[in-house]
Amino acid sequence: MPQFKYHAFISYSHVDRRWADWLHKALETYPIPQRLVGRRTAAGTIPKKLAPIFRDRDELPSAHDLGGKVDEALAQSASLVVICSPHAAASRWVDAEVRAFKRLGREGRVFCLVVEGEPNASDMPGREAEECFVPALRYRVGADGVATTERAEPIAADARPGKDGKTNAKLKLLSGLLGVGFDELRQREQQRRTRRLAWVAALAILGMLLATGLAVAALKGREQARFQREQAENLVGFMLGNLRDKLEAVNRLDILDEVADHAMGYFDAQGEDSGDDELGAKRAEALLLIGRVRMGQGKYEQAEKAFDGSLRLASALAESQPADPARKIAIADAHSWLGQTAWQRGDLKSALAHFEAAQPIVDGVVTANPDNKDWLSRLYWSHYNIGHVFEQRGDLRAALREYNVVLDLIKNRISADPGNDALKAELANAHDALGQVNYALGNLAVAEKHYGDEQRLLLWLIDRRPGNNVWKRDLAFAETFLAQIAEARGHSDVANESLKRAMQIGEEFLSSDADDMDKVGDLASYCRRLARNLRLRGDTAAAASLLNRADALYARILTKSPEDVRAEGGKAATTLEQARLAWQIGDTVKSRANVLAARDSYATFLRERKDDRSAALGMARAQLLLGVIDDSAGNSRRAMSAWAHGLEAMRVFGADSRDPDQIAVQAELLHRLGRESDAGRLVARLDAMGYRDRDYMAWAMPVPPSRTSGSAEVARRGH
């Protein structure tokens, strides 16, 4: 086995230097398990450490060849690690280094770390810009260093979000470099992490004991007391801030239970009047952190106690220093978190009171300090919070007012900072909120414009950063809402195209991470929505296939998480759409069985959540179809009962609802119950909105005499 000076050579684009810094340190400092040291593997004898690693790319040669220093380092390196991204794929130096290393006959010792982009995207039409492999990685290299046409399959670890992640990607690289099994290293890492957590827990408890001891010692003298209180409260801040982040990363926030309890006991014993404003401010901040820990654990009463304590301290400090804007922001933060706690507990009245208390404080601070971006962000989030409460309460016009303020604030920020992509993403979110509320108000054209603006912003952002999956997911959601509006306005072809684009994103996500249940649920929803579109267009076979797939995807989620509310609702909606499809093709038995199953699912929802509007609308739709089926079988008494129960389910919407989908169902129920005058008023409102959904038009408009199949025949009515 030849001896090499370097255990590995890291090849990368200068744009990915941060990744190179991280990888270089991660490999050289990795403590190789003692029991592995000295073992002989296909990669050689395992050393005590993987050092040195060659990473000298600060000064690239100016000529077209790599230069003697780099060529020499490649020859003296046992392995080559390539950091793969679209930047690397465009770098001739990275490609040259891979070719030079392969020319040495060590192609089997080339390892890849994917950090951005998509491997082999060059083979995907329209996605070529996402390619992260240089040609020398995608193809075998001849003895002359020229890439051939024979495809290669590089050994790759994937550090992208939703893939291996940084830790597992590092272990996979180490597995290849050392020539040992990945599972062996992963188990060893898990044992090491468990020991670290034990030390963290011990340090946390020790820190609390230290804090208690410092509190007692504080009685010995004013200066000493101040110093010790400061140290104790700094320690609390560390444990509930930095330590919290570290424990959250390994899913062990339970360790903070005792820390938070001791911290609350310490602050209660100290009292709120410390006589030192700086210490008081730190204490107020620590109490916010404690409240956030408790809120994350679902312990809302304890969270509220901590936030209340923070609010009292912040208010007292603001009175003593009224000109200090940071003191005022601390009050607003406490109110905002108290509002979030009330929101989580379902107390919308208290939530709104706290959000409305925070908003003018932040507004005043921002007016006096317009250049502070952090405080400006708080301002539009305060309006978001108020808008969400109004929307939840059904006061859509008030919600619309708040969201328009958010839109204007973000636009103003963008005009001052036009190159800020994060602000453009926030602008897309604002358009989304406005689109949803405008749709519920029946402003279909306005809603369509907002979702169109969101779509264009997201497409522009994704074009700049193709690897940003958050923006891609938001785009898929925007496409589904655009499809919903297009269906409502009678533009079935437009809806079909939007849903296909959402499906494409959903398929892409699921293929990259089949175990992400959120992504599974997204795709199931896209399947169901596209199935409805295809049913209404007459493509019943394709619709049936998509509904079967949606049903299977929801079943996967519920097998893993039986109480997943979103999946339960999605499955009920899928079953109801299967009932509609069966009725449309004339399978009355199957249609009735499915609609009864959907009705029972919605009934369970409404027993647990009486004001759930989505479940109420689902129940009304199920009762509507059930009545149609019974009526067609000649059982008018049972049909009338089903329709009456459907109308009862819609009481949750109130008399002033302008939601077009809700109004359409209510209008048809009234019509079938013989209340033509009431139904006619609602039909007139829908006509004024330009509502032309095909299910609605099947009964609300005159039906041609030649049409005799499906629910349209028994529902025929003109107006």
Side-chain angles (χ1 to χ4, degrees), residues 86-151:
H87 308 296
S91 169
R92 64 186 178 93
W93 298 111
V94 174
D95 187 64
E97 285 170 349
V98 176
R99 282 190 288 105
F101 191 84
K102 285 189 172 184
R103 191 170 61 240
L104 297 171
R106 297 203 291 276
E107 184 165 359
R109 300 300 300 166
V110 177
F111 303 92
C112 300
L113 177 68
V114 179
V115 299
E116 191 179 343
E118 186 68 31
N120 297 313
S122 298
D123 301 332
M124 307 173 191
R127 297 183 60 186
E128 293 85 353
E130 296 178 52
E131 180 60 67
C132 66
F133 284 167
V134 293
L137 286 173
R138 301 199 306 274
Y139 298 95
R140 295 193 177 278
V141 173
D144 57 356
V146 177
T148 68
T149 58
E150 183 181 359
R151 296 303 293 257

XYZ file of all heavy atoms in Angstrom, residues 86-151:
509
model
N -23.590 24.053 -8.044
C -23.566 24.655 -9.387
C -22.329 25.528 -9.617
O -21.849 25.641 -10.745
C -24.854 25.488 -9.414
C -25.778 24.765 -8.486
C -24.892 24.269 -7.378
N -21.815 26.143 -8.528
C -20.595 26.945 -8.660
C -19.416 26.034 -9.020
O -18.600 26.369 -9.885
C -20.297 27.677 -7.358
C -21.451 28.462 -6.831
N -21.988 29.533 -7.508
C -22.182 28.319 -5.687
C -22.999 30.026 -6.812
N -23.142 29.313 -5.712
N -19.327 24.884 -8.331
C -18.239 23.945 -8.615
C -18.367 23.384 -10.030
O -17.366 23.214 -10.740
C -18.254 22.816 -7.592
N -19.613 23.091 -10.438
C -19.828 22.515 -11.766
C -19.382 23.471 -12.871
O -19.019 23.033 -13.967
C -21.303 22.161 -11.944
N -19.394 24.771 -12.578
C -18.981 25.766 -13.571
C -17.497 26.103 -13.475
O -17.000 26.908 -14.265
C -19.813 27.038 -13.397
N -16.795 25.502 -12.522
C -15.384 25.824 -12.309
C -14.475 24.909 -13.128
O -14.480 23.693 -12.955
C -15.049 25.677 -10.817
O -13.649 25.735 -10.620
N -13.666 25.495 -14.006
C -12.731 24.674 -14.792
C -11.627 24.104 -13.916
O -11.045 23.065 -14.225
C -12.134 25.480 -15.945
C -11.262 26.665 -15.557
C -10.879 27.445 -16.805
N -10.081 28.614 -16.514
C -8.746 28.631 -16.521
N -8.083 27.526 -16.803
N -8.092 29.743 -16.245
N -11.355 24.777 -12.768
C -10.312 24.280 -11.881
C -10.755 23.001 -11.179
O -9.968 22.060 -11.045
C -9.932 25.349 -10.859
C -9.369 26.575 -11.508
C -9.933 27.802 -11.577
C -8.128 26.669 -12.219
N -9.135 28.666 -12.279
C -8.009 27.996 -12.686
C -7.114 25.762 -12.512
C -6.921 28.439 -13.416
C -6.016 26.202 -13.246
C -5.926 27.516 -13.689
N -11.997 22.977 -10.727
C -12.502 21.763 -10.077
C -12.494 20.611 -11.080
O -12.054 19.498 -10.767
C -13.920 21.987 -9.514
C -14.503 20.679 -8.976
C -13.894 23.037 -8.410
N -12.953 20.878 -12.294
C -12.967 19.831 -13.319
C -11.553 19.339 -13.617
O -11.303 18.131 -13.745
C -13.628 20.363 -14.583
C -13.835 19.285 -15.628
O -14.612 18.352 -15.354
O -13.223 19.359 -16.706
N -10.610 20.282 -13.698
C -9.222 19.906 -13.987
C -8.631 19.075 -12.857
O -7.879 18.118 -13.094
C -8.385 21.165 -14.220
N -8.956 19.413 -11.614
C -8.427 18.654 -10.483
C -8.975 17.235 -10.459
O -8.255 16.274 -10.165
C -8.739 19.385 -9.179
C -7.846 20.613 -8.984
C -8.288 21.490 -7.818
O -9.398 21.272 -7.289
O -7.526 22.407 -7.456
N -10.271 17.085 -10.780
C -10.851 15.737 -10.818
C -10.196 14.923 -11.925
O -9.826 13.753 -11.732
C -12.381 15.812 -11.020
C -12.956 14.395 -11.154
C -13.040 16.526 -9.844
N -10.017 15.539 -13.108
C -9.388 14.819 -14.221
C -7.958 14.421 -13.881
O -7.523 13.299 -14.155
C -9.412 15.681 -15.484
C -10.765 15.693 -16.175
C -10.736 16.347 -17.551
N -10.588 17.791 -17.476
C -9.469 18.457 -17.739
N -8.387 17.789 -18.112
N -9.431 19.773 -17.660
N -7.233 15.347 -13.246
C -5.840 15.060 -12.892
C -5.760 13.913 -11.888
O -4.884 13.034 -11.992
C -5.190 16.317 -12.318
N -6.670 13.894 -10.911
C -6.641 12.826 -9.910
C -7.034 11.488 -10.529
O -6.418 10.444 -10.243
C -7.574 13.175 -8.752
C -7.424 12.272 -7.564
C -6.436 12.499 -6.619
C -8.246 11.167 -7.392
C -6.276 11.670 -5.517
C -8.099 10.330 -6.305
C -7.118 10.577 -5.362
N -8.058 11.488 -11.383
C -8.469 10.241 -12.033
C -7.372 9.704 -12.944
O -7.199 8.484 -13.101
C -9.756 10.458 -12.832
C -11.013 10.559 -11.974
C -12.260 10.563 -12.846
C -13.523 10.469 -12.011
N -14.747 10.379 -12.842
N -6.609 10.626 -13.559
C -5.529 10.209 -14.455
C -4.463 9.430 -13.702
O -3.721 8.629 -14.289
C -4.920 11.444 -15.132
C -3.967 11.110 -16.281
C -3.579 12.337 -17.078
N -2.881 13.311 -16.258
C -3.287 14.552 -16.047
N -4.415 14.970 -16.607
N -2.606 15.386 -15.297
N -4.401 9.618 -12.373
C -3.436 8.882 -11.541
C -3.866 7.440 -11.307
O -3.150 6.668 -10.663
C -3.268 9.589 -10.189
C -2.693 11.010 -10.242
C -2.785 11.670 -8.870
C -1.245 10.980 -10.728
N -5.081 7.075 -11.797
C -5.560 5.705 -11.641
C -6.299 5.463 -10.335
O -6.488 4.303 -9.946
N -6.732 6.551 -9.666
C -7.391 6.365 -8.366
C -8.847 6.862 -8.423
O -9.332 7.525 -7.508
C -6.616 7.104 -7.279
C -5.199 6.562 -7.108
C -4.646 6.874 -5.730
N -4.373 8.268 -5.509
C -3.248 8.894 -5.879
N -2.297 8.217 -6.511
N -3.067 10.174 -5.622
N -9.551 6.519 -9.512
C -10.929 6.961 -9.673
C -11.821 6.460 -8.540
O -12.770 7.124 -8.130
C -11.489 6.478 -11.012
C -12.901 6.984 -11.291
C -13.314 6.814 -12.742
O -12.501 6.316 -13.525
O -14.444 7.196 -13.084
N -11.504 5.274 -7.997
C -12.293 4.711 -6.908
C -12.131 5.440 -5.591
O -12.847 5.138 -4.621
N -11.186 6.405 -5.544
C -10.961 7.153 -4.306
C -11.457 8.598 -4.427
O -11.000 9.489 -3.718
C -9.464 7.161 -3.945
C -8.863 5.781 -3.721
C -9.555 5.048 -2.595
N -9.455 5.782 -1.325
C -10.187 5.504 -0.251
N -11.096 4.544 -0.296
N -10.027 6.200 0.856
N -12.411 8.810 -5.320
C -13.022 10.131 -5.475
C -14.363 10.121 -4.739
O -15.211 9.262 -4.984
C -13.255 10.486 -6.958
C -13.960 11.837 -7.077
C -11.922 10.522 -7.703
N -14.541 11.081 -3.839
C -15.769 11.175 -3.047
C -16.381 12.560 -3.236
O -15.662 13.550 -3.357
C -15.487 10.921 -1.565
C -14.830 9.591 -1.306
C -13.447 9.488 -1.253
C -15.591 8.458 -1.129
C -12.835 8.268 -1.027
C -14.986 7.232 -0.894
C -13.605 7.131 -0.855
N -17.690 12.619 -3.259
C -18.395 13.887 -3.483
C -19.205 14.289 -2.253
O -19.792 13.433 -1.583
C -19.342 13.761 -4.678
S -18.508 13.335 -6.217
N -19.243 15.596 -1.987
C -20.122 16.155 -0.965
C -21.049 17.143 -1.671
O -20.624 18.223 -2.070
C -19.320 16.865 0.131
C -20.179 17.557 1.211
C -20.911 16.516 2.053
C -19.329 18.458 2.097
N -22.316 16.772 -1.835
C -23.291 17.631 -2.511
C -23.821 18.646 -1.502
O -24.375 18.275 -0.465
C -24.448 16.804 -3.093
C -25.465 17.718 -3.770
C -23.915 15.770 -4.078
N -23.640 19.939 -1.795
C -24.094 20.988 -0.873
C -25.190 21.855 -1.481
O -25.905 22.554 -0.757
C -22.911 21.879 -0.424
C -21.871 21.043 0.300
C -22.283 22.623 -1.596
N -25.340 21.829 -2.792
C -26.357 22.651 -3.458
C -26.534 22.131 -4.865
O -25.655 21.463 -5.415
C -25.925 24.124 -3.482
C -27.008 25.098 -3.898
C -26.545 26.547 -3.896
O -25.507 26.838 -3.269
O -27.214 27.383 -4.524
N -27.689 22.446 -5.483
C -27.934 22.014 -6.841
C -28.462 20.592 -6.897
O -28.983 20.064 -5.921
N -28.301 19.942 -8.058
C -28.835 18.596 -8.273
C -27.852 17.789 -9.113
O -27.432 18.230 -10.183
C -30.181 18.676 -8.999
C -30.878 17.350 -9.148
C -31.357 16.794 -7.815
O -31.689 17.594 -6.916
O -31.395 15.554 -7.677
N -27.450 16.595 -8.625
C -26.553 15.756 -9.421
C -27.190 15.377 -10.761
O -28.381 15.061 -10.823
C -26.353 14.522 -8.530
C -26.631 14.992 -7.139
C -27.712 16.019 -7.296
N -26.401 15.434 -11.830
C -26.822 15.037 -13.176
C -28.023 15.834 -13.691
O -28.808 15.345 -14.507
C -27.124 13.533 -13.222
C -25.882 12.707 -12.919
O -24.810 12.959 -13.462
N -26.028 11.729 -12.037
N -28.188 17.077 -13.217
C -29.286 17.913 -13.702
C -29.096 18.275 -15.172
O -30.058 18.685 -15.834
C -29.397 19.179 -12.856
N -27.882 18.112 -15.688
C -27.635 18.396 -17.107
C -28.473 17.499 -18.006
O -28.724 17.829 -19.166
C -26.155 18.197 -17.441
O -25.350 19.084 -16.704
N -28.920 16.363 -17.454
C -29.738 15.432 -18.230
C -31.225 15.765 -18.139
O -32.048 15.067 -18.737
C -29.525 14.000 -17.733
C -28.068 13.573 -17.832
O -27.357 14.099 -18.713
O -27.649 12.724 -17.029
N -31.559 16.793 -17.365
C -32.968 17.137 -17.148
C -33.287 18.431 -17.894
O -32.827 19.501 -17.481
C -33.245 17.314 -15.653
C -32.798 16.140 -14.792
S -32.990 16.522 -13.015
C -32.095 15.133 -12.288
N -34.062 18.361 -18.945
C -34.383 19.578 -19.723
C -34.975 20.674 -18.848
O -35.891 20.428 -18.060
C -35.408 19.069 -20.752
C -35.111 17.609 -20.887
C -34.670 17.158 -19.523
N -34.407 21.869 -18.976
C -34.886 23.008 -18.208
C -34.230 23.167 -16.852
O -34.419 24.183 -16.182
N -33.455 22.168 -16.419
C -32.847 22.237 -15.086
C -31.321 22.213 -15.170
O -30.646 21.957 -14.180
C -33.338 21.068 -14.222
C -34.833 21.095 -13.963
C -35.266 19.969 -13.049
N -34.604 20.037 -11.765
C -34.718 19.088 -10.824
N -35.462 18.026 -11.044
N -34.097 19.222 -9.665
N -30.782 22.468 -16.340
C -29.334 22.367 -16.536
C -28.552 23.250 -15.574
O -27.445 22.894 -15.149
C -28.974 22.728 -17.983
C -29.488 21.733 -19.025
C -30.927 22.000 -19.448
O -31.566 22.884 -18.836
O -31.409 21.326 -20.384
N -29.139 24.403 -15.193
C -28.426 25.337 -14.314
C -28.236 24.783 -12.910
O -27.422 25.298 -12.142
C -29.180 26.670 -14.242
N -28.970 23.717 -12.559
C -28.857 23.140 -11.217
C -27.727 22.115 -11.113
O -27.458 21.610 -10.026
C -30.170 22.460 -10.829
C -31.348 23.387 -10.721
C -32.628 22.639 -10.393
O -32.612 21.872 -9.412
O -33.606 22.796 -11.122
N -27.083 21.787 -12.254
C -26.050 20.752 -12.236
C -24.967 21.061 -11.202
O -24.485 22.198 -11.120
C -25.399 20.644 -13.623
C -24.297 19.606 -13.735
C -24.773 18.214 -13.431
O -25.574 17.665 -14.203
O -24.367 17.669 -12.394
N -24.604 20.048 -10.394
C -23.572 20.262 -9.374
C -22.333 19.399 -9.605
O -21.350 19.528 -8.864
C -24.138 20.022 -7.968
S -24.613 18.320 -7.639
N -22.369 18.479 -10.596
C -21.210 17.637 -10.909
C -20.465 18.211 -12.124
O -21.089 18.524 -13.146
C -21.630 16.211 -11.241
C -22.025 15.374 -10.058
C -22.672 14.164 -10.234
C -21.739 15.786 -8.765
C -23.029 13.375 -9.145
C -22.086 15.009 -7.673
C -22.738 13.800 -7.859
N -19.152 18.338 -12.010
C -18.354 18.715 -13.177
C -18.338 17.536 -14.153
O -18.598 16.395 -13.769
C -16.909 19.088 -12.764
C -16.885 20.354 -11.949
C -16.256 17.939 -12.008
N -18.026 17.769 -15.447
C -18.016 16.664 -16.420
C -17.113 15.514 -16.014
O -17.446 14.346 -16.258
C -17.519 17.350 -17.702
C -17.960 18.775 -17.551
C -17.834 19.080 -16.088
N -15.979 15.802 -15.390
C -15.050 14.736 -15.007
C -15.621 13.820 -13.933
O -15.120 12.712 -13.735
C -13.732 15.340 -14.524
N -16.682 14.269 -13.220
C -17.367 13.391 -12.262
C -18.449 12.573 -12.950
O -18.697 11.422 -12.580
C -17.991 14.219 -11.133
C -17.047 14.802 -10.088
C -17.814 15.727 -9.144
C -16.361 13.687 -9.286
N -19.099 13.171 -13.948
C -20.208 12.481 -14.615
C -19.721 11.412 -15.581
O -20.465 10.476 -15.894
C -21.086 13.492 -15.360
C -21.697 14.570 -14.475
C -22.882 15.237 -15.143
N -22.592 15.769 -16.455
C -22.085 16.977 -16.680
N -21.769 17.759 -15.659
N -21.866 17.407 -17.901
N -18.477 11.557 -16.072
C -17.956 10.621 -17.071
C -16.595 10.072 -16.630
O -15.862 10.721 -15.880
C -17.808 11.323 -18.435
C -19.116 11.810 -18.991
C -19.531 13.122 -18.774
C -19.948 10.954 -19.711
C -20.743 13.574 -19.274
C -21.165 11.407 -20.218
C -21.560 12.713 -19.990
O -22.756 13.148 -20.473
N -16.297 8.884 -17.095
C -14.982 8.307 -16.820
C -13.911 9.087 -17.586
O -14.177 9.688 -18.621
C -14.944 6.828 -17.206
C -15.887 5.973 -16.360
C -15.613 4.491 -16.538
N -16.460 3.703 -15.668
C -16.208 3.466 -14.393
N -15.113 3.978 -13.836
N -17.033 2.739 -13.658
N -12.690 9.058 -17.062
C -11.574 9.815 -17.640
C -10.511 8.844 -18.125
O -10.143 7.890 -17.413
C -10.976 10.783 -16.601
C -9.711 11.440 -17.140
C -12.005 11.843 -16.216
N -10.031 9.080 -19.348
C -9.016 8.214 -19.913
C -7.633 8.505 -19.355
O -7.425 9.454 -18.585
N -6.648 7.709 -19.779
C -5.275 7.870 -19.287
C -4.682 9.212 -19.696
O -3.739 9.704 -19.063
C -4.406 6.727 -19.811
N -5.266 9.819 -20.755
C -4.776 11.128 -21.211
C -5.440 12.288 -20.471
O -5.171 13.448 -20.769
C -5.016 11.261 -22.714
C -6.487 11.084 -23.078
O -7.306 10.781 -22.167
O -6.821 11.239 -24.269
N -6.320 11.943 -19.518
C -6.985 12.993 -18.739
C -8.202 13.583 -19.417
O -8.793 14.545 -18.915
N -8.629 13.023 -20.544
C -9.786 13.522 -21.271
C -11.010 12.695 -20.890
O -10.949 11.460 -20.846
C -9.558 13.451 -22.795
C -10.804 13.903 -23.546
C -8.355 14.310 -23.173
N -12.122 13.387 -20.603
C -13.353 12.695 -20.242
C -13.883 11.905 -21.429
O -13.897 12.389 -22.562
C -14.401 13.687 -19.765
N -14.320 10.652 -21.200
C -14.881 9.803 -22.247
C -16.401 9.979 -22.279
O -16.957 10.810 -21.581
C -14.531 8.332 -21.968
O -15.226 7.900 -20.792
C -13.026 8.175 -21.738
N -17.082 9.168 -23.080
C -18.550 9.206 -23.134
C -19.165 8.172 -22.194
O -20.390 8.089 -22.099
C -19.029 8.935 -24.569
O -18.528 7.662 -25.001
C -18.556 10.029 -25.507
N -18.333 7.407 -21.475
C -18.842 6.387 -20.559
C -19.236 7.030 -19.231
O -18.427 7.719 -18.609
C -17.777 5.310 -20.320
C -18.278 4.175 -19.438
C -17.188 3.129 -19.193
O -16.069 3.300 -19.742
O -17.456 2.171 -18.441
N -20.480 6.819 -18.818
C -20.962 7.443 -17.600
C -20.283 6.860 -16.368
O -19.958 5.672 -16.314
C -22.484 7.273 -17.459
C -23.297 7.960 -18.531
C -23.009 9.444 -18.616
N -23.455 10.174 -17.447
C -24.555 10.919 -17.403
N -25.320 11.028 -18.485
N -24.897 11.574 -16.319
